């Protein structure tokens, strides 16, 4: 679709038009891992964001982090900054997009989603605003703003602001509708009443407008009807695609600070999946000993049991060589894990065998 300026009246509350507000980062984006909602694969969205020159892209599937690994791989190839997040839908509050600032934030987001999934039937997630508050550290909250001021929603927004403080933002979303000017005025009024800064977003459901028909089909399947029967449950146009900074600056021409703030928010999010490493349980070894010390103890204990009349020199040299290599590669926790599994199985008469030469050793 061609770029279109916001052909609406300038809201009285908006700041004057400023030139050169900078880049744009999309903060709310569903992939096809939001079942029957998103109509594009993670790599398609990432590659399109890179083509458009976006400062960053947030992958925020509904109550899920399922797409972030594929998006991470694609973002590294494309040279695009990826924000890790999810859109959480509490039963007693407005939906909120949560973005990980650092590793602790990612851990909290993961635990929050796990809590919600374990409470609900498969494929569902049940959370409350209290749950969000409990796991709020290390996270930025971006709340899509309603276009109407209601006591209930205003109270919910106040709860988010009190929980996240200066990490809480309201998302403004316009899609070339018939009343964009009025809608923007109302969203800004809600944000002012709550006292939170605003940022622009496009509520992305697909990477290019051509995916709109597919998204309609997905919506119809979700509602159990035909596309023709969707009515107001379908999007009125194909505007929920990724947009360039120029397109977003035109769309929010009366409030350019909302576009610029997306980059500020993206700059605060420094977490990358590259930071993650598998962490073995700490209880693998007795208190006061390190994993390599415990492994050496078990290895020599086993060798003594295998050779009660004395450990042959060749065997002793081999054990020392293997232990030194394991210590150099930091694999001791892996071997202790295998030992723990085998010990558990043998203690209950369960047949077991390791997979691969390392486990079998």
């Amino acid at each position: 679709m061609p770029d279109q300026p916001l052909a609406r009246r300038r809201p009285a509350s908006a700041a004057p038009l400023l030139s050169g507000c900078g880049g744009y980062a999309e903060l709310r984006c569903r992939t096809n891992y939001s079942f029957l909602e998103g109509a594009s694969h993670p790599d398609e969205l990432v590659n399109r964001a890179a083509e458009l020159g976006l400062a960053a892209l947030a992958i925020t599937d509904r109550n899920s982090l399922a797409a972030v690994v594929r998006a991470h791989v694609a973002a590294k190839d494309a040279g695009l900054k990826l924000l890790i997040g999810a859109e959480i839908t509490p039963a007693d509050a407005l939906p909120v997009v949560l973005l990980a600032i650092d590793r602790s934030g990612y851990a909290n987001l993961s635990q929050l989603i796990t809590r919600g999934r374990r409470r609900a039937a498969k494929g569902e997630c049940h959370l409350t605003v209290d749950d969000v508050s409990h796991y709020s550290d290390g996270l930025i909250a971006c709340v899509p703003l309603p276009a109407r001021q209601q006591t209930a929603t205003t109270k919910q927004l106040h709860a988010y602001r009190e929980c996240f403080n200066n990490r809480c933002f309201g998302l403004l979303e316009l899609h070339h509708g018939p009343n964009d000017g009025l809608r923007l005025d109302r969203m800004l009024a809600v944000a002012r009443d709550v006292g939170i800064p605003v940022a622009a977003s496009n509520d992305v459901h697909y990477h290019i407008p051509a995916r709109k028909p597919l998204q309609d089909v997905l919506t119809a399947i979700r509602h159990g009807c035909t596309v023709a029967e969707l009515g107001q449950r379908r999007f009125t146009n194909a505007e929920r695609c990724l947009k360039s900074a120029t397109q977003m600056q035109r769309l929010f021409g009366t409030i350019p600070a909302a576009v610029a703030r997306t980059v500020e928010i993206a700059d605060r999010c420094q977490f990358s999946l590259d930071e993650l490493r598998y962490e073995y349980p700490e209880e693998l070894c007795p208190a006061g000993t390190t994993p390599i010390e415990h492994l050496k103890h078990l290895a020599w204990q086993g060798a003594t049991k295998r050779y009660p009349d004395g450990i042959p020199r060749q065997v002793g040299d081999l054990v020392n060589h293997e232990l030194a290599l394991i210590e150099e590669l930091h694999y001791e926790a892996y071997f202790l894990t295998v030992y723990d599994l085998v010990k558990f199985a043998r203690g209950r008469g369960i047949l077991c065998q390791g997979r691969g030469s390392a486990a079998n050793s």
Side-chain angles (χ1 to χ4, degrees), residues 45-104:
L45 289 155
V46 166
N47 291 332
R48 180 57 178 163
E51 289 175 5
L52 293 171
L54 297 191
L57 173 68
I59 294 297
T60 59
D61 283 303
R62 185 181 294 272
N63 301 314
S64 174
L65 291 165
V68 299
V69 173
R70 291 192 177 186
H72 171 72
V73 174
K76 290 184 71 173
D77 290 340
L80 177 74
K81 180 173 182 177
L82 182 71
L83 310 185
I84 306 297
E87 182 169 336
I88 302 300
T89 55
D92 57 349
L94 293 168
V96 56
V97 173
L98 298 180
L99 304 175
I101 298 173
D102 50 28
R103 187 172 178 177
S104 67

Side-chain angles (χ1 to χ4, degrees), residues 189-255:
V190 171
R192 277 198 312 273
D193 182 55
V194 178
I196 56 175
V198 294
S201 172
N202 204 46
D203 187 22
V204 172
H205 281 65
Y206 33 83
H207 69 299
I208 53 175
R211 284 291 169 88
K212 170 65 162 55
L214 174 60
Q215 208 278 327
D216 287 344
V217 172
L218 296 174
T219 304
I221 294 173
R222 189 170 80 250
H223 289 287
C225 65
T226 66
V227 172
E229 294 169 339
L230 277 173
Q232 294 185 349
R233 292 175 293 186
R234 70 192 293 183
F235 296 137
T236 56
N237 55 34
E239 291 297 321
R240 282 175 172 80
C241 60
L242 283 170
K243 288 185 170 72
S244 68
T246 300
Q247 288 174 299
M248 294 300 289
Q249 288 161 14
R250 290 176 179 174
L251 188 59
F252 291 90
T254 56
I255 181 167

Side-chain angles (χ1 to χ4, degrees), residues 182-353:
L182 178 60
R183 177 181 173 82
L184 182 58
D185 263 349
R186 288 176 171 175
M187 288 188 290
L188 290 170
V190 171
R192 277 198 312 273
D193 182 55
V194 178
I196 56 175
V198 294
S201 172
N202 204 46
D203 187 22
V204 172
H205 281 65
Y206 33 83
H207 69 299
I208 53 175
R211 284 291 169 88
K212 170 65 162 55
L214 174 60
Q215 208 278 327
D216 287 344
V217 172
L218 296 174
T219 304
I221 294 173
R222 189 170 80 250
H223 289 287
C225 65
T226 66
V227 172
E229 294 169 339
L230 277 173
Q232 294 185 349
R233 292 175 293 186
R234 70 192 293 183
F235 296 137
T236 56
N237 55 34
E239 291 297 321
R240 282 175 172 80
C241 60
L242 283 170
K243 288 185 170 72
S244 68
T246 300
Q247 288 174 299
M248 294 300 289
Q249 288 161 14
R250 290 176 179 174
L251 188 59
F252 291 90
T254 56
I255 181 167
V259 178
R261 187 167 285 117
T262 63
V263 180
E264 296 173 12
I265 293 172
D267 287 342
R268 293 174 66 176
C269 298
Q270 295 300 317
F271 172 72
S272 167
L273 290 184
D274 284 336
E275 298 177 38
L276 300 181
R277 296 290 184 273
Y278 185 81
E279 297 181 8
Y280 286 89
E282 295 180 358
E283 62 270 17
L284 288 171
C285 55
T289 62
T290 65
I292 190 60
E293 289 172 346
H294 187 47
L295 181 63
K296 287 179 178 179
H297 169 74
L298 292 173
W300 289 115
Q301 186 181 65
T304 301
K305 183 178 179 180
R306 179 69 60 94
Y307 302 99
D309 297 328
I311 301 171
R313 180 177 178 180
Q314 183 179 2
V315 173
D317 290 343
L318 183 60
V319 171
N320 279 321
H321 173 77
E322 294 291 341
L323 287 171
L325 183 60
I326 289 169
E327 184 174 9
E328 178 185 345
L329 298 175
H330 304 293
Y331 283 170
E332 54 268 29
Y334 166 75
F335 283 93
L336 289 174
T337 300
V338 174
Y339 169 77
D340 191 53
L341 293 170
V342 172
K343 182 181 177 182
F344 174 88
R346 286 178 177 171
R348 288 160 177 76
I350 302 171
L351 294 175
C352 65
Q353 178 181 347

